[in-house]
Amino acid sequence: MKLFVKITPKQQRVLDFIREKVNKDNLPPTIREIAAACGFSSTGTVRDYLDALAKKGYLKRGNNKSRAIELLQGNPQKLRLIGAIPAGTPNEAHEDPSDYLDLKQLFSRESARGEVFALKVKGDSMVNAGIMDGDIAVIRKQPSGQSGEIVAALLEDNEVTLKRLKHLKQGAYFLEAANENYPPIEKEFTVIGVLISIIRKY
Amino acid sequence: MKLFVKITPKQQRVLDFIREKVNKDNLPPTIREIAAACGFSSTGTVRDYLDALAKKGYLKRGNNKSRAIELLQGNPQKLRLIGAIPAGTPNEAHEDPSDYLDLKQLFSRESARGEVFALKVKGDSMVNAGIMDGDIAVIRKQPSGQSGEIVAALLEDNEVTLKRLKHLKQGAYFLEAANENYPPIEKEFTVIGVLISIIRKY
DNA sequence: TTGACATCCACACAAATGTGTGGTATATAT
DNA sequence: ATATATACCACACATTTGTGTGGATGTCAA
């Protein structure tokens, strides 16, 4: 899949119409609606445009489904997800669903059950785990965690903290920071959930 | 059109399925897709449900148009966002709208200003900036960046890398890793965008 | 000159799709 | 009693819709 493929003015016009329809009606147009709007007399022409735009990564098409046009750029819900560019042939258009990051689906399963909340991280006690001051930690609510998992825990003073949970042989637990300047917490604490995601905004 | 009309459990089930489809695929379902999902053997049954839900103001229907179902009572996908010093346990409900993280709006502003894409981070060259192997970097496409900003850059060998951009006095630039094991990159490179967010899933 | 790409067309066809008609049954309110 | 709403079904039908096939022309790089 090529990265930044230029789009021709005519392709831009087709794309603009689709975007306009989606924004206005919340419903992508059919092939014939595009043809009528852009002045094409053949459905095949529109199909060629859609295939070209899909190949360039501007939209995604469904198979044999009406109106199955999904915009990928200028649409914050779904982002193109690229890995390291393989040196050689970077121009295949493969329909790998893992090529896209769907923001709506990021936590859809968990949040549908209503057991997810977000926690703003304060301090640098987890910097060595890549968790920085100001990060947003997404937590799935649950009363315990496995050893090594990063959990949100409620301390005695009603403060919520993010630490790595460690099990001891005797069934005891403690909380370990990912920063040598912070001592482990062995006092009483309650696990309120496990970390499932970190979101940071710059 | 009446609002706040009660709907029956079965109507709720149909509505939930539509909402799920719209959130997941950005495409409303067809009548027959609803029938299959909700266990109806007749398309007429679904039409009756859609008419009932439309009459109650929960959705709007188009005429003779496929998938023309427009939800009128949306569900913003929001997460409770609590700070590090909560006034109580996160189980308590305090309904401040600023206490919610709206996933749909996470990158709406940035994507309005330009194209946004996601890049899967490879390697540990930015660990000291809290960016780890496997993280998803959200990049706003732009051809340059300010000194100190973390940018995605295209190297000579067509590899995309994430580094901190540094300006020199003479108008020259170089890329600096956030890991002392990696030397700065002063060879030819092209900035393709600036980092606006990091997303990590556990 | 070959190939890839862009830019169009016409027409056919199967499948998908919304709608229409005519039922059955239960419950509830007027 | 009558009307209204809910909750289904089967089947037919006309359209809508995406796709397939087979062209055409031109540009541009290798």
Side-chain angles (χ1 to χ4, degrees):
Chain A
M1 170 106 58
K2 278 189 185 173
L3 247 194
F4 302 119
V5 186
K6 275 184 193 167
I7 185 171
T8 68
K10 301 229 176 185
Q11 288 170 351
Q12 185 68 53
R13 169 143 160 63
V14 173
L15 194 60
D16 284 343
F17 173 71
I18 297 170
R19 218 192 295 282
E20 181 193 320
K21 268 283 177 183
V22 169
N23 287 338
K24 193 182 145 206
D25 301 336
N26 260 327
L27 191 70
T30 66
I31 284 182
R32 281 169 180 85
E33 284 169 359
I34 299 171
C38 298
F40 302 128
S41 66
S42 171
T43 57
T45 302
V46 178
R47 182 205 43 215
D48 290 348
Y49 272 99
L50 294 182
D51 286 343
L53 287 168
K55 201 173 177 185
K56 292 185 176 179
Y58 285 80
L59 51 86
K60 214 173 103 182
R61 298 195 66 200
N63 281 334
N64 291 311
K65 299 177 74 176
S66 62
R67 304 177 190 275
I69 300 171
E70 204 173 350
L71 294 177
L72 297 178
Q73 310 217 8
N75 175 359
Q77 270 76 25
K78 231 166 195 176
L79 304 182
R80 289 191 50 205
L81 179 57
I82 61 176
I85 307 295
T89 55
N91 45 359
E92 275 117 59
H94 38 89
E95 285 298 311
D96 194 343
S98 65
D99 283 345
Y100 302 98
L101 171 68
D102 191 340
L103 294 175
K104 281 187 191 170
Q105 288 197 278
L106 254 184
F107 316 108
S108 59
R109 235 195 301 175
E110 289 89 350
S111 63
R113 300 200 296 264
E115 8 175 85
V116 170
F117 63 95
L119 171 72
K120 190 148 197 172
V121 174
K122 247 190 113 180
D124 60 347
S125 69
M126 295 297 283
V127 281
N128 289 344
I131 299 169
M132 310 181 78
D133 186 68
D135 285 4
I136 294 169
V138 182
I139 313 283
R140 181 178 59 237
K141 217 183 283 184
Q142 59 184 62
S144 63
Q146 299 189 342
S147 193
E149 280 185 327
I150 298 174
V151 299
L154 191 65
L155 304 183
E156 286 173 322
D157 52 0
N158 254 354
E159 203 163 323
V160 175
T161 187
L162 208 63
K163 294 284 183 301
R164 197 178 294 278
L165 182 69
K166 292 279 185 171
H167 290 199
L168 294 176
K169 293 168 191 169
Q170 295 83 4
Y173 314 92
F174 69 98
L175 296 175
E176 183 188 63
N179 182 335
E180 52 276 7
N181 298 328
Y182 291 78
I185 298 174
E186 300 173 35
K187 301 176 298 183
E188 201 167 317
F189 61 88
T190 313
V191 172
I192 57 179
V194 299
L195 179 68
I196 60 174
S197 184
I198 286 287
I199 296 174
R200 182 183 311 144
K201 294 206 79 178
Y202 288 89
Chain B
M1 188 176 308
K2 284 183 185 174
L3 239 78
F4 307 123
V5 185
K6 275 185 192 171
I7 69 176
T8 68
K10 300 228 175 183
Q11 289 170 349
Q12 184 69 53
R13 172 146 156 64
V14 173
L15 192 62
D16 284 344
F17 173 71
I18 297 170
R19 221 194 293 281
E20 182 193 321
K21 268 282 175 181
V22 169
N23 284 338
K24 193 181 146 208
D25 302 333
N26 268 320
L27 191 71
T30 65
I31 285 182
R32 281 170 180 86
E33 283 169 0
I34 299 171
C38 298
F40 301 127
S41 66
S42 172
T43 57
T45 302
V46 178
R47 182 205 43 216
D48 291 347
Y49 272 99
L50 293 182
D51 286 342
L53 287 168
K55 200 173 178 184
K56 291 186 177 180
Y58 284 83
L59 51 86
K60 218 171 90 184
R61 295 197 67 199
N63 279 335
N64 291 312
K65 299 176 73 177
S66 62
R67 305 179 187 273
I69 301 170
E70 201 175 351
L71 293 177
L72 296 178
Q73 322 222 357
N75 63 333
Q77 200 171 358
K78 294 180 178 175
L79 301 183
R80 295 269 316 278
L81 178 58
I82 61 176
I85 312 165
T89 70
N91 294 344
E92 287 171 15
H94 65 110
E95 297 292 324
D96 191 339
S98 68
D99 288 340
Y100 289 88
L101 172 68
D102 191 341
L103 293 175
K104 282 184 188 172
Q105 310 239 302
L106 251 185
F107 310 113
S108 56
R109 228 197 308 175
E110 285 84 357
S111 63
R113 285 166 53 192
E115 287 168 15
V116 173
F117 63 95
L119 172 72
K120 191 147 196 173
V121 174
K122 253 185 103 178
D124 60 347
S125 67
M126 294 297 283
V127 280
N128 289 344
I131 299 169
M132 311 182 77
D133 186 70
D135 283 4
I136 294 168
V138 182
I139 312 282
R140 181 179 62 237
K141 185 184 166 190
Q142 61 182 60
S144 63
Q146 300 191 339
S147 193
E149 281 185 328
I150 299 175
V151 301
L154 192 65
L155 303 183
E156 286 172 321
D157 54 357
N158 257 352
E159 284 242 356
V160 176
T161 186
L162 209 62
K163 295 282 184 298
R164 198 177 294 278
L165 181 70
K166 292 279 185 170
H167 290 200
L168 294 176
K169 293 168 192 169
Q170 295 84 6
Y173 313 92
F174 69 97
L175 296 175
E176 183 188 63
N179 183 335
E180 53 275 3
N181 299 328
Y182 291 79
I185 298 175
E186 300 173 36
K187 300 175 298 183
E188 202 166 317
F189 61 87
T190 313
V191 172
I192 58 178
V194 298
L195 180 67
I196 59 174
S197 184
I198 286 287
I199 297 174
R200 182 183 309 146
K201 294 206 80 175
Y202 289 89

